[in-house]
Amino acid sequence: MESSRDQQHGMKVMVVGDSISHGREGDWTWRYRIWEWFNEQDIPVSFVGPYGGTVPADEYEPPRPPPLASEPDRPPPPFRTDGGYAAGVAPEFLDNSSHFAANGRQACQTKGLVAEQIAAYQPDFCFVELGFNDLGWGKASPSDTLASMKELVDRARSVKPDLKFAIANVPHRTEIPGREDLPLNTDIYNALLARWIPGWSSPESPIGLVRFCENYSCGGTNSEAAYDGLHPNALGEYQLAQAFSRTLISAFFIGRRELAIPEDIPPRPLPTPSNIKAVSGLCGIVVTWDAVYGAFAYDLRKRTANLPSWDSCRVACNRYDSQHTDRWTWEYQVRASGGGRVKSPWSSVVSAVANPQTAQPPSSIVTHATPTGLTVSWTPPDGPFAGDIDRYGVITFDYNQPGVFPSVIGVRAEQAEINGLVPGHCYAVAVETWTSIGRGPPATARSVMVGRGKPSIRGVHAVAIDERVAEIRWLTHPDAAGYRIWCRLKDSASSEASNQEFSICSQDCQLDGLVLGPDEEFALRYTFYDGPSWDHQFAVAAFNGSDMSRSEWVDVPRIEPGDMCLKKGDSVHINIRYG
């Protein structure tokens, strides 16, 4: 039963959380759904806190040169919480939507911030939803996260001893390759939280456990309640609010009936982007369109004019700077994305002729592994902008760390040494040129296996599958950051063009970031159109940066029709297989 104070003056609630509670522009948010539930139960409530909105849509920022080591650190982008809610949100909520939930917030951060907010707003209740960012980004172990949550409670109580808490456990998210530890750590933390909350609770300051995880249709390979595998869609918002309503009833006797999830969930309105334009720019082509309210991002696809296939990418805001080195006509389409399968129809096609004015990338890029990183050097580009080079951007990307973003550093020399990388991890490397006009296209170098030496290549042999298909096989090496494969006709070995190497897939087949255990057999299958498969030879090289070992040429053995593994007329395409 509600206290007479709650009935007369209303209960003051502070939602303390991360992006799951903050919400994105155009969301209803679970905060709104629990506010609706309070109204249905005739329970006066005031939501308090320093923020009032959701995370707004990203705004366009022109590319900035990568910082030099001598330059001061750039200030972080301003923290914005002025994003709007779904169009159907009740106007009364907009005046009662305050909260203390911030995108990316961790329990280990919030514990040092909560006392100031409790002192300022004097809530009666804290609805706490934190912990995923501690566990999900490897910032803390389950026990560390539990300790942060306990400290958060203690610091909040130090300001208001009679504060009540409804603390949510951590939801699962859909599987992330390479993060098999996350579901396990989430379960460990949730079990610890359930075990310790009764001991943290007191008559003056009771605590109830909110079973977010158990009530949220997300995790494993299924995410029907999440638009991106973690953050709630319209169904998920109801589920999370329902979990809080159940705890309020069972632990605090607040409310009579738990929040009911309607059968018909309102869809996210995403109209097709309009006013799409493509114009030639200094760096290539600039594509713009009118922003769509409630879009989390945009899917953009492009192609050379009149070709059948498209290349696609994700764009955060309503502008895309398309870099090109050619002067061809390019076509573009864009659609709004609400995450997952929530998409608008594609826009009309627009086109423009690329007329890039940027400098070319460096050439002759050489990379080497070091015990804790890599070195890279290059030759400056030629051309009219060679004297206008301000700096180079050295880009690295960790193939072995799922979910990471590329890292880029700025240098003015024609070489760089990068340390602090993970030994045993394979890194992609590229270098781009910056002038007063802007960033030029990057040139890729051979990948590097940090802390490893020059790999050897062994066990190279070829197998004819049939008259048109052959397979090249070799044993992998733990120091290899990648492999290169060459193919040629046997007749070229005795001709003037004996050293000319023609390639698989229209270029030397370079398999960067192929990380396998030692002595595993790797095979690549190729279909020939210039004669029988046994008229060809292969060679394979294993490389770690510019340190490379190459095999001798090996023949494709001839097979008789009765020995063929495939029937004549079978369709075979290039494919890669392990083992």
Side-chain angles (χ1 to χ4, degrees), residues 147-305:
S148 293
M149 189 63 71
K150 178 60 165 64
E151 189 171 346
L152 184 153
V153 170
D154 291 342
R155 293 192 181 192
R157 281 173 169 168
S158 70
V159 177
K160 197 170 189 300
D162 62 347
L163 187 61
K164 303 179 185 71
F165 295 87
I167 300 179
N169 60 15
V170 172
H172 285 297
R173 66 149 298 140
T174 49
E175 296 172 352
I176 304 175
R179 287 303 313 273
E180 289 74 16
D181 63 305
L182 183 54
L184 176 62
N185 285 338
T186 299
D187 287 340
I188 293 173
Y189 170 76
N190 288 346
L192 289 172
L193 187 68
R195 183 188 309 166
W196 284 96
I197 273 183
W200 296 353
S201 189
S202 69
E204 186 181 21
S205 177
I207 301 177
L209 173 67
V210 180
R211 296 192 177 276
F212 244 26
C213 186
E214 294 83 348
N215 210 59
Y216 191 31
S217 301
C218 185
T221 58
N222 176 43
S223 60
E224 67 169 349
Y227 66 79
D228 62 354
L230 174 64
H231 297 92
N233 57 23
L235 170 61
E237 291 165 349
Y238 274 111
Q239 290 181 347
L240 301 183
Q242 184 186 67
F244 268 97
S245 74
R246 287 172 171 171
T247 297
L248 291 173
I249 293 171
S250 62
F252 300 98
F253 306 104
I254 296 174
R256 300 176 300 278
R257 297 180 303 277
E258 68 179 41
L259 184 147
I261 299 176
E263 292 185 4
D264 295 324
I265 305 296
R268 192 178 193 88
L270 283 179
T272 302
S274 60
N275 197 29
I276 180 171
K277 299 177 181 178
V279 296
S280 297
L282 293 175
C283 296
I285 297 174
V286 177
V287 188
T288 59
W289 56 92
D290 291 343
V292 174
Y293 185 82
F296 296 150
Y298 302 89
D299 298 330
L300 181 139
R301 60 187 187 183
K302 63 181 181 180
R303 65 183 178 186
T304 306

Side-chain angles (χ1 to χ4, degrees), residues 316-329:
C317 63
N318 57 322
R319 171 169 169 160
Y320 177 71
D321 291 272
S322 186
Q323 277 196 311
H324 297 283
T325 57
D326 55 68
R327 283 172 168 75
W328 299 339
T329 299

Side-chain angles (χ1 to χ4, degrees), residues 17 41 71 133 191 194 217-218 229 235 240 294 359 372 399 418 479 507:
Q41 302 294 301
E71 293 177 336
N133 291 316
S217 301
C218 185
L235 170 61
L240 301 183
T372 59
Y399 282 117
I418 301 176
D479 291 355
Q507 59 183 348

Side-chain angles (χ1 to χ4, degrees), residues 329-352:
T329 299
W330 287 81
E331 296 179 334
Y332 301 88
Q333 280 186 297
V334 67
R335 66 182 179 184
S337 174
R341 295 181 295 274
V342 182
K343 310 286 186 180
S344 78
W346 286 102
S347 72
S348 58
V349 176
V350 295
S351 64

